């Protein structure tokens, strides 16, 4: 609900905060004071185009809002004019006009010349009729089925498209699979090949080191083993005289054994190799690297891709067998959709006549005695997610003229009354409603009927309106009075919330143009009479 409007500057309204209540909020005032400026200021925040002065700033606050823009149930929208440009805000942060429009969608409905788009939309007409006809459950069932139908149709389209590309795609994938199968790459193979390649690349150096090491150990004169044998013979001669040498002797003998074994191992090394082996390894590594680069993966990934190719080939080879099965499913769902669409259409047809009659009755009571309101149903060329029907609202304010499209013939005041009639008849999913011009040209009994209808609607919704009718003002839950004054050589708006006494005075003025004891008594009687209806 719209809880607050803060106007820092909007034309001659400055530094005014208005707080609204849940029920019927009414603005009154002398003719020419600019009562509609309040609604204009709200429309300004919501994106109304126009020429505005620099420094213009309006902020509106909504409570109990649950959408992606609200924070803890609160939504604050604002607009500022700076350097002749509009700046929009959502909860204090810069935003676009589009975002503000999205944020305010379905939380406030304004019935003025600028904000009447809903009443000219076919989608709105359908929503109204379907809500009146209580079609939510049936429509939900239909739409779930329709979504399944669209999903299957899309799958059919993809398959038929792929069917024409199937042979070419199969050739490509079969070639790629053959390439991977022929390569027959194993996980870890690349690492082993790189080790072997490094070994073979160093084979000449290895040979030289092995030959030199073997010579140093025992093949050449004064080799390590020769010298070690000399040391052992010398120690053996004197070790009995020096018992501590016994352990040293044993250690040297062990060292000799180890050196001999190392020398034998060097002799046993197979340093012969096929010179073609290094070329074969190079070719194999080049192939693996090329495939990894081509498929942007490693060895493990190549094996996975190979399995995916097999699955893809299997799918494409069996694709043609899926189409008849899929088309059978589509045909079955299509039949069920047509049955549901016919059922929905029949209910709409019946309820459209009832709705037309109820709306006409409301309009007659609201002063449009010759009004004709027709809910017309046209059949679409094909089913969509709402069935087979186009819903159109037709209207004529005068007998003898065939009803035409609502947006082409209805005036602002008529639109407001039609909106009110629709809300009273079908309800709404929008909590806050603003009406302007709704009481234009009304008086007497019709004014009383309008006031009663507005009060009835305000029990379930927040209503904000400007009125010149005392019958409506008497029903207000919150009554605002607008005036203007010339202060500091500037025209400024003055807005007051009326208490019991000042409200009585305002309604007396609205009744007769005079405020005296007699008119005050009339005003009090009018206010008291509204309490009997509550």
């Amino acid at each position: 609900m719209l809880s607050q409007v803060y106007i820092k500057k909007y034309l001659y309204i400055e530094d005014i905060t208005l707080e609204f209540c849940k029920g019927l909020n009414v603005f009154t005032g002398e003719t020419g004071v600019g009562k509609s400026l309040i609604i204009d200021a709200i429309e300004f925040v919501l994106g109304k185009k126009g020429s505005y002065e620099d420094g213009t700033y309006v902020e509106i606050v909504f409570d109990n809002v649950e959408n992606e823009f609200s924070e803890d149930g609160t939504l604050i929208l604002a607009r500022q004019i700076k350097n002749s440009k509009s700046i929009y805000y959502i909860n204090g942060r810069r935003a676009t006009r589009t975002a503000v429009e999205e944020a305010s969608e379905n939380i406030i409905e304004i019935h003025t010349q600028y904000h009447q788009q809903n009443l000219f939309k076919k989608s709105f007409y359908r929503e109204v009729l379907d809500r009146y006809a209580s079609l939510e459950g049936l429509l939900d069932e239909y739409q779930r089925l329709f979504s399944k139908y669209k999903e299957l149709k899309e799958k059919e389209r993809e398959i038929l498209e792929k069917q024409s590309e199937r042979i070419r795609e199969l050739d490509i994938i079969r070639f790629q699979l053959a390439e991977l199968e022929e390569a027959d790459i194993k996980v870890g193979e690349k690492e082993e090949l790189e080790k072997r390649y490094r070994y073979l690349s160093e084979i000449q150096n290895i040979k030289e080191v092995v030959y030199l090491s073997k010579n140093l150990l025992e093949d050449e004169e004064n080799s390590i083993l020769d010298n070690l044998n000399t040391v052992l013979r010398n120690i053996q001669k004197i070790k009995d005289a020096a018992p501590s040498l016994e352990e040293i002797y044993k250690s040297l003998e062990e060292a000799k054994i180890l050196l001999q074994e190392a020398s034998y191992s060097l002799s046993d090394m197979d340093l012969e190799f096929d010179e073609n082996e290094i070329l074969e390894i190079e070719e194999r590594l080049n192939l693996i690297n090329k495939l990894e680069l081509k498929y942007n993966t490693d060895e493990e990934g190549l094996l996975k891709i190979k399995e995916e190719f097999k699955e893809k080939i299997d799918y494409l080879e069996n694709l043609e067998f899926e189409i008849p099965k899929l088309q059978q499913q589509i045909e079955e769902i299509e039949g069920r959709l047509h049955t549901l669409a016919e059922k929905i259409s029949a209910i709409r047809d019946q309820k459209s006549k009832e709705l037309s009659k109820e709306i006409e009755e409301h309009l007659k009571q609201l002063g449009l005695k010759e009004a004709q309101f027709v809910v017309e149903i046209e059949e679409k060329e094909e089913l969509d997610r709402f069935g087979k029907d186009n819903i159109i609202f037709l209207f004529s304010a005068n007998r003898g003229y065939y009803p035409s499209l609502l947006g082409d013939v209805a005036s602002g005041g008529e639109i407001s009354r039609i909106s009110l009639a629709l809300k009273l008849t079908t309800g709404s999913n929008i909590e806050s409603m603003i009406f302007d011009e709704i009481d234009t040209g009304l008086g007497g009994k019709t004014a009383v009927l309008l006031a009663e209808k507005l009060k009835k609607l305000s029990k379930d919704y927040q209503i904000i309106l400007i009125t010149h009718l005392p019958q409506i003002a008497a029903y207000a839950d919150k009554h605002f009075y607008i005036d203007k004054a010339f202060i500091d050589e500037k025209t400024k708006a003055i807005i007051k919330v009326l208490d019991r006494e000042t409200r009585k005075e305002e309604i007396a003025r609205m009744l007769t143009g005079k405020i005296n004891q007699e008119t005050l008594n009339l005003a009090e009687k009018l206010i008291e009479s509204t309490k009997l209806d509550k």
Side-chain angles (χ1 to χ4, degrees):
M1 132 182 146
L2 179 60
S3 60
Q4 190 180 94
V5 173
Y6 167 62
I7 303 172
K8 183 178 182 181
K9 184 181 185 324
Y10 185 83
L11 298 180
Y12 55 82
I13 305 177
E14 292 184 8
D15 294 317
I16 286 177
T17 300
L18 304 173
E19 295 185 351
F20 297 103
C21 66
K22 168 75 172 151
L24 184 58
N25 299 267
V26 169
F27 286 87
T28 65
E30 295 278 4
T31 302
V33 298
K35 296 186 289 294
S36 291
L37 285 180
I38 299 301
I39 296 177
D40 292 343
I42 295 170
E43 289 183 302
F44 164 76
V45 176
L46 300 178
K48 184 177 181 179
K49 293 179 181 177
S51 179
Y52 303 105
E53 294 179 8
D54 269 11
T56 300
Y57 180 89
V58 182
E59 179 180 285
I60 58 179
V61 181
F62 295 92
D63 290 336
N64 302 319
V65 175
E66 294 301 329
N67 65 21
E68 62 181 294
F69 301 95
S70 63
E71 294 179 5
D72 297 325
T74 300
L75 177 67
I76 304 171
L77 305 178
R79 181 181 175 188
Q80 175 186 21
I81 303 298
K82 188 175 182 180
N83 298 326
S84 300
K85 292 183 180 179
S86 287
I87 304 171
Y88 291 89
Y89 300 90
I90 297 177
N91 294 326
R93 291 183 287 276
R94 287 281 289 267
T96 63
R97 175 183 168 181
T98 302
V100 167
E101 288 173 347
E102 288 175 6
S104 61
E105 191 175 8
N106 295 325
I107 63 172
I108 188 167
E109 192 171 78
I110 303 176
H111 300 283
T112 65
Q113 191 171 3
Y114 172 70
H115 266 98
Q116 290 176 352
Q117 295 93 330
N118 266 354
L119 272 175
F120 308 141
K121 289 180 183 176
K122 289 182 180 178
S123 60
F124 174 73
Y125 304 155
R126 182 200 55 74
E127 287 171 16
V128 167
L129 179 58
D130 288 351
R131 188 164 57 239
Y132 179 77
S134 301
L135 279 170
E136 292 85 356
L138 205 54
L139 261 177
D140 188 53
E141 180 186 351
Y142 173 88
Q143 286 171 351
R144 284 199 305 271
L145 196 61
F146 187 79
S147 295
K148 181 66 177 174
Y149 169 76
K150 294 298 284 184
E151 183 185 315
L152 292 175
K153 286 294 286 183
E154 178 62 20
K155 190 174 179 183
E156 179 192 35
R157 184 192 65 77
E158 287 177 2
I159 289 175
L160 290 173
E161 277 183 8
K162 284 178 182 175
Q163 189 78 325
S164 60
E165 300 173 6
R166 190 172 65 91
I167 296 173
R168 186 179 66 84
E169 193 175 358
L170 268 171
D171 286 344
I172 292 170
I173 296 173
R174 281 173 179 152
F175 171 79
Q176 290 173 320
L177 178 62
E179 180 181 49
L180 291 176
E181 285 189 327
E182 186 180 349
D184 193 25
I185 296 166
K186 308 287 191 300
V187 174
E189 179 183 357
K190 182 178 178 181
E191 186 181 353
E192 291 300 318
L193 287 171
E194 286 173 340
K195 284 180 184 176
R196 181 67 178 164
Y197 183 81
R198 284 194 298 272
Y199 171 76
L200 294 176
S201 299
E202 295 289 328
I203 193 68
Q204 193 57 43
N205 290 335
I206 293 169
K207 277 184 174 183
E208 288 175 5
V209 169
V210 168
Y211 178 77
L212 178 62
S213 299
K214 192 168 184 307
N215 280 346
L216 286 171
L217 280 171
E218 65 176 332
D219 287 351
E220 63 182 24
E221 287 184 19
N222 291 320
S223 69
I224 292 170
L225 280 169
D226 282 348
N227 287 323
L228 183 57
N229 282 328
T230 301
V231 170
L232 284 167
R233 281 196 299 275
N234 291 334
I235 291 174
Q236 188 176 26
K237 291 175 184 176
I238 60 169
K239 68 177 180 169
D240 292 336
S244 60
L245 288 174
E246 185 66 37
E247 284 302 316
I248 294 172
Y249 183 81
K250 285 179 181 177
S251 296
L252 289 171
E253 274 195 322
E254 288 173 5
K256 175 183 174 182
I257 293 167
L258 288 173
L259 287 170
Q260 284 174 333
E261 285 177 355
S263 180
Y264 299 152
S265 294
L266 288 171
S267 299
D268 288 343
M269 281 186 71
D270 182 10
L271 298 175
E272 299 302 318
F273 71 99
D274 183 352
E275 291 185 2
N276 290 323
E277 184 183 358
I278 196 164
L279 296 175
E280 289 171 2
I281 290 173
E282 281 179 350
E283 285 179 10
R284 185 66 177 169
L285 284 171
N286 287 339
L287 174 63
I288 294 171
N289 289 331
K290 175 185 160 189
L291 292 173
E292 286 181 342
L293 185 63
K294 179 177 179 179
Y295 294 103
N296 192 29
T297 186
D298 55 14
E299 295 161 303
E300 199 169 337
L302 290 173
L303 294 175
K304 188 177 178 183
I305 288 171
K306 186 163 71 170
E307 292 307 311
E308 286 173 358
F309 283 159
K310 289 177 183 177
E311 290 173 10
K312 186 80 171 177
I313 288 168
D314 186 55
Y315 169 72
L316 289 172
E317 285 176 341
N318 290 289
L319 202 57
E320 59 185 302
F321 303 112
E322 278 194 44
I323 295 175
K325 191 165 51 176
L326 188 60
Q327 288 174 335
Q328 185 180 349
Q329 278 183 283
I330 290 170
E331 193 176 327
E332 180 194 337
I333 289 177
E334 205 166 13
R336 289 165 62 195
L337 276 175
H338 278 285
T339 300
L340 275 173
E342 289 292 342
K343 189 174 179 180
I344 290 168
S345 185
I347 295 171
R348 282 174 177 159
D349 184 57
Q350 177 194 340
K351 291 295 182 179
S352 66
K353 297 175 179 61
E354 296 175 20
L355 178 60
S356 298
K357 189 176 178 182
E358 282 196 47
I359 296 299
E360 279 188 6
E361 187 59 37
H362 277 298
L363 294 177
K364 285 182 176 64
Q365 294 171 5
L366 293 171
L368 300 173
K369 299 197 179 296
E370 301 297 317
Q372 299 171 72
F373 186 87
V374 177
V375 179
E376 192 170 271
I377 299 176
E378 297 176 343
E379 187 169 345
K380 297 173 186 172
E381 291 184 6
E382 57 182 40
L383 298 180
D384 65 15
R385 63 187 299 264
F386 298 106
K388 58 178 281 190
D389 304 316
N390 267 328
I391 315 298
I392 302 170
F393 286 180
L394 305 176
F395 174 76
S396 171
N398 303 294
R399 292 287 171 190
Y401 292 89
Y402 189 79
S404 300
L405 289 172
L406 185 59
D408 294 343
V409 294
S411 67
E414 288 164 350
I415 287 290
S416 287
R417 280 175 245 180
I418 292 167
S419 296
L420 175 59
L422 287 169
K423 298 296 181 293
L424 289 164
T425 307
T426 67
S428 175
N429 61 346
I430 297 174
E431 187 177 0
S432 299
M433 303 175 199
I434 297 177
F435 291 96
D436 194 14
E437 300 184 36
I438 195 167
D439 57 6
T440 303
L442 298 184
K445 185 180 177 183
T446 304
V448 173
L449 286 170
L450 173 59
E452 289 173 352
K453 291 179 186 295
L454 285 166
K455 185 61 183 178
K456 180 182 177 184
L457 191 64
S458 73
K459 289 177 181 177
D460 297 313
Y461 303 97
Q462 180 190 50
I463 307 295
I464 299 169
L465 61 86
I466 291 163
T467 185
H468 67 277
L469 293 177
Q471 293 93 333
I472 294 175
Y475 275 100
D477 294 303
K478 195 162 191 176
H479 190 157
F480 298 88
Y481 175 76
I482 304 179
D483 200 356
K484 63 182 179 182
F486 197 65
I487 302 170
D488 297 331
E489 299 186 357
K490 287 174 68 178
T491 299
K492 290 189 178 182
I494 298 168
I495 304 176
K496 301 174 183 175
V497 177
L498 302 183
D499 58 22
R500 178 179 173 81
E501 289 305 314
T502 52
R503 184 170 173 229
K504 195 162 52 170
E505 290 173 5
E506 170 62 359
I507 290 174
R509 182 198 64 77
M510 294 173 75
L511 280 165
T512 65
K514 299 175 183 179
I515 301 175
N516 54 42
Q517 194 55 51
E518 185 181 349
T519 58
L520 287 170
N521 289 339
L522 284 173
E524 187 165 9
K525 283 181 183 178
L526 181 57
I527 293 169
E528 289 301 316
S529 71
T530 66
K531 294 177 182 176
L532 300 174
D533 298 327
K534 291 183 180 179

